[in-house]
Amino acid sequence: MHDQPPAPPDQKPKRKIDYSNPIIVKSIQKYWERNIRVMGILLLIWAAAGLGCGILFADWLNQFNFPGTGYPLGFWFAQQGAIIIFVIIILIYALTMNKIDNLHKRELDELHTKSKNNDGGVV
């Protein structure tokens, strides 16, 4: 016989989400639209830095030097710049998604509270 351990007292019970509620569905769609917009913008920046600066415009950028190093700028982007920009993009994505997740959670909490006040239903 396997007994499940009791849930920790500080852990909130999971809320059931009513996917048939059009307001909730709209909120979830809005969340995913924000997520896709952030991903699209960051992927464009990554493509511009990695492919654009590192390959397509490398010859033109090589007429300039990376400040303080003497390396041609196109070479620097191909070897290090694209990787550094990629890591920065990951950081920006994580911070932005954390902000969007918190915003979405607050929005769902408000909808849940409104729904509970109106009919005691489930959001």
Side-chain angles (χ1 to χ4, degrees):
M1 185 168 184
H2 300 284
D3 291 335
Q4 291 187 358
D10 59 339
Q11 189 176 19
K12 290 182 180 178
K14 289 188 175 184
R15 183 179 347 141
K16 292 182 182 177
I17 297 174
D18 181 11
Y19 292 103
S20 64
N21 185 340
I23 296 172
I24 299 298
V25 171
K26 188 176 179 181
S27 174
I28 292 170
Q29 284 176 341
K30 193 174 169 184
Y31 169 80
W32 283 108
E33 286 171 2
R34 289 177 184 153
N35 186 359
I36 290 171
R37 187 178 327 122
V38 168
M39 279 195 300
I41 291 169
L42 292 176
L43 284 174
L44 281 176
I45 293 170
W46 181 54
L51 183 67
C53 294
I55 296 172
L56 298 176
F57 309 118
D59 290 335
W60 183 79
L61 287 172
N62 281 337
Q63 65 182 326
F64 306 105
N65 288 334
F66 189 74
T69 63
Y71 288 109
L73 195 55
F75 174 78
W76 182 83
F77 265 106
Q79 297 301 313
Q80 294 179 346
I83 296 169
I84 291 171
I85 289 172
F86 183 68
V87 171
I88 292 170
I89 284 173
I90 291 171
L91 176 68
I92 291 170
Y93 179 73
L95 294 173
T96 305
M97 284 310 300
N98 194 23
K99 190 175 178 179
I100 290 173
D101 286 345
N102 289 334
L103 181 69
H104 182 65
K105 183 182 179 306
R106 277 195 307 259
E107 200 173 283
L108 286 180
D109 287 342
E110 287 175 15
L111 291 173
H112 179 70
T113 304
K114 284 180 186 174
S115 175
K116 220 175 184 179
N117 290 340
N118 288 341
D119 60 4
V122 177
V123 172

